[in-house]
Amino acid sequence: MGDTLTITHGDDSLSAEISQGTIRATELKKIVTPDGPLATYDPGLVNTASVKSSITYIDGEAGILEYRGYPVEQLAEHSTFLEVAYLLIHGDLPTADQLAVWEDEVNHHRLVHENASQVIESLRYDAHPMGKLMSGVASMQTFYPDARNINDPVARHENIVRLLGKMPTLAAWAYRHSVGWRRVYPSDELNYVENFLAMLFQMQERLYRPDPRLSRALEVLFILHADHEQNCSTNVVRAVASADNDIYTSCGAGVGALFGPLHGGANEAVLRMLREIGSLDRVPEFVAGVKSGKARLMGFGHRVYKNYDPRAKVIRQAVDDVFSVTGVNPLLQIAVELEKIALSDEYFTSRRLYPNVDFYSGLIYEALHFPPAMFTVLFAVPRTAGWAAQWLEGVLDPEQKITRPKQIYTGERRRDYVNIDNR
Ligand code: ACO
């Protein structure tokens, strides 16, 4: 007999097997309360495992993040984004031949249907690029209806590589529409990240080649953002997929979830916060405001990490690399001072609030000349690899059920309709 949890309640009792630190929530139904079978109340699903997953491992206490068992720091040092995408989706690192085929497949699918560019360009030029990206991704389902055949392995693979290939193109076109520049089409001469930068920033040159130090820094950021187990947007992707939805519909919803300032929108919020603070001497006043509940220190705190976010450490290094090319941004000084004060202040240490991935990434994006509205887009592009892996894992999981949580009803009970004249 393994570890079990025994609960008694009046005449009812249950003995639930504890497996991998959890019990089956449905076991609780054996206890009947005056309001019905026992369930748990868990806003934000903070203590509820909704899936079994073998993709990403996080130990928030120890500050560990691994993709398929490989520490993210090693991947950031040695790997490329497309290799990491392969790892997440297939489960193992590719051989040289497998990687060559994979890169070729993804790059082959970078072109986007002209009508999809019209979807983006029909929106207002000053619309947030995440709104444009969300529409572009969701519209992909209409161009590739075979994606609805989620039980066909060939269609699944084809649409995963399509989405990975097209995501940077949609993101770049969303940006260029905002600034009124004509679209740049993918180039076979550039790798995934270089090509993305070219589609964003190429002007009159025949071939735009970004500084390799800058494209490597963006590649590292892409690797660090590729997956993060059951975060808000991934949970949304899996919930939408649980209704047997295609990858585009599911990931379009994921883009929407990521847009939120408490999730992917945080790095944009960090930059705004640093600008608002404006100078070093105003840092103590801002920190005092945070402690009195007037504001949040954006880029600090994490639902899972109660220690330094391992991605923030790698990014801190990348900040130095990027600034060695572009020159130092004065906002960096404010960020460093904020971090110093927060890490030695009881308010933050007692709540175990440490810098998260977003605290420094915005500074890198700004140094690469991205406007703040593009920051979340730069998160969505690489996170697509994780969403795709998680979408696929869900589709293949015999235990996947349509997501349908319970509620605790607190409203009125039966009332008879009252005619409008009598209210
Ligand atoms: N600044 C100030 N106080 C904070 C912060 C912060 N950034 N984050 C949490 N706290 C405080 C809360 O006020 C609360 O204090 P209390 O116990 O006195 O009420 C305590 O710390 C716990 O906070 P919760 O909101 O319960 O923590 P939760 O796990 O729900 O939230 C979150 C996590 C949303 C990330 C939060 O820390 C936050 O808002 N951070 C700022 C936004 C941010 O950087 N988001 C990026 C997350 S990483 C990502 O999505 C890629």
Side-chain angles (χ1 to χ4, degrees):
M1 187 72 176
D3 204 3
T4 56
L5 172 76
T6 306
I7 302 179
T8 53
H9 175 261
D11 294 338
D12 297 327
S13 94
L14 73 86
S15 199
E17 187 194 343
I18 299 179
S19 169
Q20 294 172 301
T22 59
I23 59 162
R24 286 261 166 190
T26 45
E27 286 288 315
L28 296 175
K29 287 180 161 186
K30 289 180 184 158
I31 304 264
V32 179
T33 76
D35 293 312
L38 185 66
T40 56
Y41 174 55
D42 189 3
L45 302 179
V46 293
N47 196 33
T48 298
S50 58
V51 295
K52 290 180 181 167
S53 180
S54 60
I55 300 172
T56 290
Y57 175 80
I58 300 176
D59 180 340
E61 294 291 323
I64 292 173
L65 170 61
E66 296 167 358
Y67 297 157
R68 302 282 190 184
Y70 294 98
V72 75
E73 295 87 344
Q74 288 186 24
L75 294 168
E77 190 178 346
H78 303 294
S79 192
T80 62
F81 170 68
L82 278 190
E83 187 181 43
V84 167
Y86 183 101
L87 170 70
L88 289 167
I89 290 161
H90 293 86
D92 286 304
L93 285 170
T95 62
D97 286 348
Q98 287 168 330
L99 182 60
V101 171
W102 175 247
E103 287 174 346
D104 196 51
E105 277 185 301
V106 173
N107 290 340
H108 175 77
H109 282 291
R110 288 182 294 191
L111 258 183
V112 166
H113 196 289
E114 280 299 297
N115 289 8
S117 69
Q118 289 163 22
V119 170
I120 291 175
E121 290 172 8
S122 68
L123 300 170
R124 293 180 69 128
Y125 82 93
D126 57 353
H128 197 290
M130 279 297 272
K132 296 180 193 173
L133 185 66
M134 205 180 337
S135 312
V137 173
S139 79
M140 284 294 115
Q141 181 274 127
T142 67
F143 296 101
Y144 304 106
D146 65 316
R148 299 295 285 173
N149 303 333
I150 60 163
N151 295 318
D152 174 357
V154 176
R156 280 198 303 259
H157 177 80
E158 185 82 355
N159 287 293
I160 286 174
V161 290
R162 273 187 188 133
L163 180 59
L164 286 173
K166 293 176 198 318
M167 200 68 182
T169 315
L170 290 171
W173 287 1
Y175 170 65
R176 292 185 78 99
H177 178 239
S178 309
V179 286
W181 296 341
R182 69 176 166 73
R183 296 191 296 278
V184 170
Y185 288 84
S187 160
D188 286 344
E189 291 176 55
L190 300 172
N191 72 27
Y192 191 85
V193 173
E194 290 168 339
N195 175 63
F196 179 43
L197 286 167
M199 289 191 297
L200 285 158
F201 297 127
Q202 183 172 321
M203 300 305 283
Q204 298 302 337
E205 51 283 65
R206 194 192 65 79
L207 182 64
Y208 173 97
R209 274 202 189 276
D211 185 307
R213 291 166 295 180
L214 300 184
S215 57
R216 181 62 203 166
L218 189 59
E219 182 120 38
V220 167
L221 288 180
F222 272 20
I223 292 170
L224 297 177
H225 283 91
D227 194 48
H228 210 233
E229 55 119 299
Q230 304 311 312
N231 58 85
C232 175
S233 55
T234 300
N235 178 54
V236 165
V237 168
R238 290 187 77 133
V240 174
S242 77
D244 277 357
N245 263 308
D246 64 272
I247 192 165
Y248 305 114
T249 305
S250 305
C251 291
V255 176
L258 193 69
F259 193 8
L262 294 187
H263 187 18
N267 51 17
E268 189 181 340
V270 170
L271 249 264
R272 292 214 173 92
M273 174 187 77
L274 295 176
R275 284 213 183 90
E276 237 172 79
I277 298 172
S279 61
L280 269 184
D281 56 313
R282 294 192 53 207
V283 170
E285 179 195 332
F286 180 79
V287 171
V290 169
K291 287 163 65 175
S292 66
K294 273 196 218 139
R296 284 214 155 185
L297 178 46
M298 299 310 284
F300 258 69
H302 198 276
R303 172 62 61 77
V304 176
Y305 294 117
K306 302 301 169 198
N307 200 323
Y308 218 97
D309 180 339
R311 299 167 299 173
K313 278 191 191 152
V314 179
I315 287 186
R316 184 70 190 83
Q317 176 59 44
V319 169
D320 293 337
D321 296 346
V322 168
F323 284 172
S324 70
V325 182
T326 63
V328 175
N329 181 330
L331 296 180
L332 177 65
Q333 277 184 311
I334 299 175
V336 170
E337 182 65 11
L338 265 178
E339 182 181 354
K340 201 174 88 195
I341 294 186
L343 292 180
S344 57
D345 188 299
E346 199 271 336
Y347 175 93
F348 298 93
T349 52
S350 65
R351 288 170 178 78
R352 307 179 72 191
L353 301 170
Y354 294 90
N356 61 47
V357 66
D358 290 314
F359 191 65
Y360 284 109
S361 60
L363 287 169
I364 297 188
Y365 295 146
E366 190 172 73
L368 296 176
H369 302 297
F370 290 106
M374 276 299 284
F375 293 180
T376 321
V377 171
L378 294 164
F379 191 158
V381 171
R383 182 52 60 86
T384 305
W387 290 334
Q390 303 267 355
W391 173 85
L392 182 63
E393 189 176 62
V395 170
L396 297 177
D397 182 356
E399 283 200 293
Q400 171 158 286
K401 290 172 92 68
I402 184 164
T403 302
R404 205 306 183 186
K406 288 179 78 71
Q407 65 167 8
I408 299 172
Y409 180 68
T410 59
E412 301 283 351
R413 288 305 315 277
R414 191 206 138 99
R415 302 197 265 184
D416 286 326
Y417 183 80
V418 179
N419 194 291
I420 197 160
D421 301 330
N422 299 331
R423 286 178 219 158

